[in-house]
Amino acid sequence: MNLASPFSITLWVITILALLGLPIGHAMIAGSILYLLMAGLDMATAAEQLLNGLYTSYVLLAVPLFLFAAELMNIGTMSDRLLRFCNALVGRFRGGLGHVNIVQSVIFAGISGSAIADVAGTGRVIIDMMTRNGKYTPSYAAAITAASAVIGPIIPPSIPMVLYALVSDASIGYRFLGGIIPGLLMGLAQMVINAIMARRRGFPVEEPIPAREWPGITVQALPALMMPVILLGGIRVGITTPTEAAAIAAAYAYVISLVLYRSITLRQTYDAVLASARSTASIGLLIAGALAFNYVVTVENIPQTVRGILSGYALSPTVFLIAVNVVLLVLGCLLEGSTILLVIVPIFVPTAQALGIDLVHFGVVVVFNIMIGLVTPPYGLLLFIVAKMSKAPLGAIIRDTFPFVVAMIVALALITFIPELVLWLPRVSGYKG
Amino acid sequence: MAFALVRAGIWLRGRAENVAAALLATMFIAFIIQIVFRYVLNWPLGWTHEVCILAWLWGVLWGAAFIVTEADEIRFDVIYGAVSENTRRVFSLITGAALVGIYGISLPAVTDYVRFMRVERSAYLKIPFDWLFSIYVVFAVATLIRYLWLMGRAVRGEAPAALDHARIRDL
């Protein structure tokens, strides 16, 4: 590649501005405008692409709606009831609260589409429960909370899957379904690790909940437990689109909190709306930047060029998938997830397609991978959040997260090389891939 | 004087937040109306779709312009978060100057494009596209002012705060 070409200068400028701390969305918009200027094109094209892209990407509306649903869940007492239910379910095994943490994350994953929302919602409560009376070390409580939150966006609904659908241009319903088994697999892998750790480090069991309290606890949690059923049921039988499902989820969470649990005030409603608006805008800016930059990438024929270069190496799909996994795991340590999805992944998609890799399978592998990046240092967003919540030193948390990361990478290898784990459920639901 | 300015700033910020919240609430309500009409009453509507999209477009750009704080921004901060305050000031000056320069140069072309779009109207509500897209001009101008202000602060010696990760929300 010519190092002085407008495109390479643009790449340098975006990289340098981003490294110096400019918000990535702004860096990409500015870089795209600079490209247009250097290439002698109309500088308004960046704005045009970004505006039209936002205006026509209806599927993206799921992002604010899923964020809103999660905010509502967290304000109401739905999360607490869910936690009590999980405690009744798995609390009495060795390392009980660790299992509770994981099972709770799996169920919450079926409600919320965001790992950050999962941690923000129940993270503090469960970390407090685990560290009370010195049962678990704060760093282990923090580590397992961060690791299990990663399951959130793998099991649908999922904001990263929505972003992937945007860059790979295909139905997101099947993508959602494809994430279910891998998400459960990840939960299972983590429970195995927790069981091993519990034995080795002598973690306690919880007081078993008497059987006569079970029905009450289940009834209390039922409205929350119904939410994944409604969401997935609707998408699975094709009644609702994922975007509509997101709106229904938010409405459902609100009505339940308001009417059934009476646990949400007007002020809290406003705060939830505002918090979702704020998160929407910060992801939205990144999406806007990606839309503008996407135009540059298209003009330069980058995906075709990359495909050309790669086809020179006669890659097999397996080698390609391994390479993508390695690249994404490394990038996941350095970059934030939605940036990888919106900027890096589009470069791989055409090659995956050309190699005959199913795009639903590819999407789940990619999202799984990027989610692991949320708990790998130095840039693991979830690690920072749980460190703040638990007040445990980051180094100790990273050490305690390590076995979980290893287990997740094993799970990643499984879903990479056994595509049926991803594709079985979409196929029985009518996916022709 | 300075105190009054700060108070005015806080007041304006509150109103900007009201607008952003109203946009998201509008999107949500329009969505619910759409679903009820389509699935319950079997009477598909078109305008709700357009209201949703409009609220999304405006919500993103309005929010990015006025309510996203420095701590909320999605950025690469492995380096930015690790350097000294003085270095961060220099970073802030470099990135600010680049952004102000590029957004500034392109502003006339962008304004022309938005004005030109008045020839088209949206499908259902017949809103002229120059109105719909004018939010980009608002966004660009607000961003210019914001970064000039950030540069001013850096020159005066106030370093941008290191990030509070726990406040960043994304995936």
Side-chain angles (χ1 to χ4, degrees):
Chain A
M1 198 195 305
N2 179 0
L3 283 179
S5 74
F7 184 67
S8 20
I9 295 173
T10 304
L11 278 186
W12 278 110
V13 168
I14 294 177
T15 313
I16 290 168
L17 287 179
L19 287 178
L20 297 185
L22 190 68
I24 294 167
H26 280 309
M28 285 197 289
I29 298 175
S32 310
I33 297 175
L34 186 68
Y35 172 85
L36 295 166
L37 180 68
M38 288 186 297
L41 300 164
D42 180 5
M43 275 187 290
T45 311
E48 183 187 343
Q49 290 296 320
L50 166 177
L51 285 163
N52 283 304
L54 288 176
Y55 192 76
T56 48
S57 309
Y58 192 61
V59 64
L60 288 176
L61 295 182
V63 174
L65 293 168
F66 282 140
L67 288 169
F68 185 45
E71 287 284 343
L72 289 173
M73 287 284 298
N74 290 338
I75 291 174
T77 51
M78 273 171 116
S79 324
D80 304 340
R81 284 157 209 257
L82 207 53
L83 215 49
R84 259 196 306 249
F85 173 78
C86 297
N87 192 25
L89 209 60
V90 288
R92 68 214 125 89
F93 301 113
R94 181 160 290 283
L97 283 177
H99 291 310
V100 170
N101 198 333
I102 296 166
V103 172
Q104 186 272 139
S105 291
V106 168
I107 299 176
F108 208 88
I111 298 171
S112 125
S114 147
I116 309 289
D118 293 8
V119 167
T122 49
R124 194 179 298 273
V125 180
I126 188 124
I127 289 174
D128 282 350
M129 276 169 72
M130 289 180 77
T131 51
R132 203 175 299 147
N133 308 328
K135 283 186 201 160
Y136 296 79
T137 60
S139 60
Y140 186 78
I144 196 167
T145 304
S148 68
V150 161
I151 302 169
I154 298 169
I155 294 182
S158 161
I159 291 173
M161 294 276 189
V162 174
L163 298 182
Y164 174 76
L166 178 76
V167 299
S168 71
D169 200 28
S171 123
I172 84 174
Y174 292 127
R175 254 134 245 244
F176 271 11
L177 292 175
I180 296 177
I181 293 176
L184 294 176
L185 193 67
M186 191 187 250
L188 196 67
Q190 294 189 353
M191 286 177 86
V192 170
I193 297 294
N194 180 53
I196 297 172
M197 288 293 152
R199 200 161 296 270
R200 193 182 290 172
R201 293 168 68 165
F203 290 142
V205 290
E206 296 309 301
E207 197 74 20
I209 310 282
R212 68 192 138 77
E213 286 180 26
W214 277 55
I217 291 174
T218 311
V219 168
Q220 288 269 308
L222 203 60
L225 292 173
M226 282 306 288
M227 195 134 138
V229 179
I230 296 174
L231 275 174
L232 289 181
I235 299 172
R236 161 89 167 71
V237 295
I239 310 173
T240 55
T241 65
T243 323
E244 285 168 344
I248 294 172
Y252 179 79
Y254 191 63
V255 170
I256 294 294
S257 298
L258 194 68
V259 181
L260 223 54
Y261 297 157
R262 304 201 180 161
S263 62
I264 195 163
T265 63
L266 207 60
R267 178 77 220 174
Q268 286 174 318
T269 310
Y270 177 78
D271 288 344
V273 172
L274 184 60
S276 333
R278 206 186 290 282
S279 318
T280 301
S282 51
I283 304 181
L285 179 64
L286 189 66
I287 294 174
L291 287 165
F293 185 62
N294 225 358
Y295 175 77
V296 176
V297 170
T298 317
V299 171
E300 289 280 326
N301 259 329
I302 298 305
Q304 283 75 3
T305 313
V306 171
R307 191 157 65 190
I309 295 169
L310 290 179
S311 65
Y313 291 100
L315 280 181
S316 73
T318 315
V319 174
F320 174 73
L321 280 173
I322 294 174
V324 168
N325 276 333
V326 171
V327 169
L328 291 184
L329 282 174
V330 171
L331 285 176
C333 296
L334 302 171
L335 283 171
E336 178 274 340
S338 32
T339 314
I340 302 179
L341 265 169
L342 291 169
V343 183
I344 312 291
V345 172
I347 298 171
F348 295 137
V349 169
T351 310
Q353 212 163 9
L355 289 172
I357 296 167
D358 183 275
L359 284 189
V360 169
H361 178 223
F362 190 65
V364 173
V365 169
V366 161
V367 170
F368 202 101
N369 205 314
I370 288 173
M371 290 304 108
I372 297 176
L374 287 174
V375 289
T376 48
Y379 191 83
L381 215 43
L382 289 175
L383 294 175
F384 300 130
I385 298 175
V386 293
K388 189 161 172 148
M389 281 180 173
S390 65
K391 303 197 175 60
L394 197 57
I397 298 176
I398 291 171
R399 206 163 42 241
D400 280 344
T401 315
F402 184 71
F404 291 100
V405 173
V406 172
M408 289 190 268
I409 291 177
V410 171
L412 173 66
L414 282 177
I415 66 157
T416 304
F417 299 118
I418 312 175
E420 286 72 24
L421 285 173
V422 176
L423 292 172
W424 177 74
L425 205 53
R427 277 180 184 149
V428 296
S429 308
Y431 176 61
K432 313 255 188 299
Chain B
M1 178 60 196
F3 182 65
L5 263 178
V6 169
R7 266 187 38 186
I10 292 172
W11 188 85
L12 280 174
R13 181 175 199 96
R15 300 299 76 74
E17 290 179 349
N18 293 155
V19 173
L23 284 166
L24 192 106
T26 307
M27 176 199 297
F28 176 59
I29 293 165
F31 237 112
I32 296 302
I33 296 176
Q34 172 173 319
I35 291 167
V36 169
F37 270 77
R38 183 161 151 209
Y39 295 109
V40 182
L41 306 175
N42 215 354
W43 178 13
L45 300 174
W47 63 267
T48 46
H49 178 109
E50 224 170 87
V51 170
C52 288
I53 286 276
L54 192 154
W56 153 253
L57 177 67
W58 276 64
V60 166
L61 292 176
W62 176 274
F66 299 115
I67 70 163
V68 172
T69 61
E70 284 299 291
D72 294 320
E73 300 271 23
I74 298 174
R75 67 178 101 221
F76 179 83
D77 57 0
V78 175
I79 299 174
Y80 185 78
V83 296
S84 72
E85 286 206 346
N86 274 334
T87 317
R88 212 154 43 227
R89 272 172 56 204
V90 177
F91 282 10
S92 166
L93 280 173
I94 297 172
T95 54
L99 195 75
V100 167
I102 295 174
Y103 279 21
I105 292 175
S106 69
L107 196 58
V110 168
T111 320
D112 276 351
Y113 165 72
V114 171
R115 275 217 220 108
F116 166 76
M117 286 305 285
R118 71 169 173 271
V119 296
E120 278 184 50
R121 281 166 187 269
S122 68
Y124 285 93
L125 299 174
K126 305 290 174 211
I127 304 170
F129 265 93
D130 57 341
W131 282 48
L132 281 178
F133 284 1
S134 62
I135 187 64
Y136 185 84
V137 179
V138 174
F139 160 79
V141 172
T143 306
L144 281 172
I145 295 171
R146 179 184 191 143
Y147 278 86
L148 284 171
W149 178 73
L150 284 173
M151 286 167 73
R153 276 200 355 177
V155 170
R156 281 202 311 276
E158 291 171 52
L163 294 176
D164 181 354
H165 284 288
R167 289 200 51 202
I168 302 176
R169 295 145 161 272
D170 64 333
L171 292 178

